[in-house]
Amino acid sequence: MADQPKPISPLKNLLAGGFGGVCLVFVGHPLDTVKVRLQTQPPSLAGQPPMYSGTFDCFRKTLIREIQASSGETKYAGPLDCAKKLYQASGIRGIYKGTLLTLMRDVPASGMYFMTYEWLKNIFTPEGKRVSELSAPRILVAGGFAGIFNWAVAIPPDVLKSRFQTAPPGKYPNGFRDVLRELIRDEGITSLYKGFNAVMIRAFPANAACFLGFEVAMKFLNWATPNL
């Protein structure tokens, strides 16, 4: 008699998904910082070089700047201090600044993300085998390419979000439309893909780690707590 599929456990998925998120951040966070720095750098003046010549130049300068800043005064003592000061300055709207742009990024990109991952898992599963039996290398490849497809969709709204969230209050009264108009006017359509190299260098390993972490955690939970 064929094995019956196990019922889905929301708690196991929650725990395994959280572990996958930890894996993604651990692998991908340094390049995420570089991505935001590249996206928010001001346009260079005529005859002047840009602030960052590329991904690796940004990484080097960011590292040097953070080492120098470690001995000086910082604007925020941590995430809670940052949230408190944002709330004091702008209220609840300050904390949720850029929400619409985040939705414009994450709704289509997340759809592409999971669609690609499930599609590739089915392609990589040998005939007669179950998707749950997929090997770790194939999970890594499926997760990595899912990340690349996710960010191929997400980069333009992510650039707009980064610009909008780091702008001084009142600079963009009409929201993302003002950001989009200014970017295209001053820097051209290619400015919507600022940080592309950093994003793509990060996308494959970070998201491969995310999905591998999720699948490994699910297998461990199914072994350790089969009745959960």
Side-chain angles (χ1 to χ4, degrees), residues 125-129:
T125 301
E127 188 174 351
K129 297 284 187 179

Side-chain angles (χ1 to χ4, degrees), residues 1 11 14 26 36 44 79 81 85 91 119 125 139-140 160 164 174-175 178 184 188 194 200 203 205 211 213 218:
M1 184 176 177
L11 181 56
L14 175 66
F26 183 77
V36 174
S44 56
D81 181 56
K85 288 179 178 176
W119 173 61
T125 301
I139 291 172
L140 284 169
L160 297 176
F164 182 69
N174 295 314
D178 285 348
I184 294 178
K194 275 191 167 185
M200 289 306 168
F211 279 114
M218 280 296 291

